[in-house]
């Protein structure tokens, strides 16, 4: 099985990472995301990538309510994740991490 790793670094105008706070989001299927404001590293099995819209932490209880079964929660109509985001039930930082993952795999 192939491992997929994506990594980006963001620097502020002084060329330094902005904060040191780190968040790790464990995925139930074995991959993990290290999420700091400056560095994000995602490691997961490539075969598991299509599962992310369903298994991303906090999305598991939402996606069954999406209008489309294969909803990616990005700009689909009738998306329960986007609705939860609008209604303040979903942490915008978490959604941002999700969008980043979808952009990088
Ligand atoms: Zn959705």
């Amino acid at each position: 099985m192939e491992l997929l790793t994506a990594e980006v670094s963001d620097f502020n105008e002084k060329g330094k990472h902005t904060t040191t706070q780190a968040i790790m989001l464990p995925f139930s299927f074995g991959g993990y995301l290290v999420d700091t404001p400056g560095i994000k590293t995602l490691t997961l099995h490539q075969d598991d990538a299509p599962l992310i819209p369903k298994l991303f932490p906090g999305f598991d209880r939402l996606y069954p309510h999406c209008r489309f079964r294969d909803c990616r929660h990005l700009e689909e109509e009738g998306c329960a994740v986007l609705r939860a985001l609008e209604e303040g039930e979903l942490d915008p930082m978490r959604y941002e991490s999700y969008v980043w993952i979808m952009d990088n795999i």
Side-chain angles (χ1 to χ4, degrees):
M1 196 183 285
E2 206 175 332
L3 273 179
L4 192 69
T5 302
E7 190 167 349
V8 291
S9 296
D10 297 318
F11 294 92
N12 67 16
E13 70 279 3
K14 289 175 183 166
K16 287 178 180 170
H17 289 123
T18 47
T19 79
T20 55
Q21 192 190 12
I23 303 164
M24 183 176 280
L25 299 175
F27 290 110
S28 54
F29 47 87
Y32 63 89
L33 167 69
V34 177
D35 183 5
T36 77
I39 304 173
K40 291 179 194 291
T41 303
L42 172 71
T43 303
L44 79 165
H45 295 296
Q46 195 161 32
D47 293 349
D48 291 335
L51 296 174
I52 288 179
K54 295 183 171 58
L55 296 181
F56 190 79
F59 287 14
D60 47 345
R61 66 189 170 83
L62 294 171
Y63 86 85
H65 303 292
C66 290
R67 184 179 301 170
F68 303 108
R69 237 178 163 187
D70 59 347
C71 186
R72 285 157 48 92
H73 323 310
L74 295 175
E75 47 193 29
E76 287 86 350
E77 255 183 66
C79 175
V81 171
L82 291 176
R83 192 167 59 228
L85 186 69
E86 256 176 42
E87 290 172 359
E89 288 172 23
L90 184 70
D91 183 356
M93 290 283 287
R94 175 154 297 196
Y95 182 74
E96 207 176 282
S97 290
Y98 170 76
V99 172
W100 178 86
I101 289 171
M102 296 305 281
D103 278 350
N104 282 275
I105 57 174

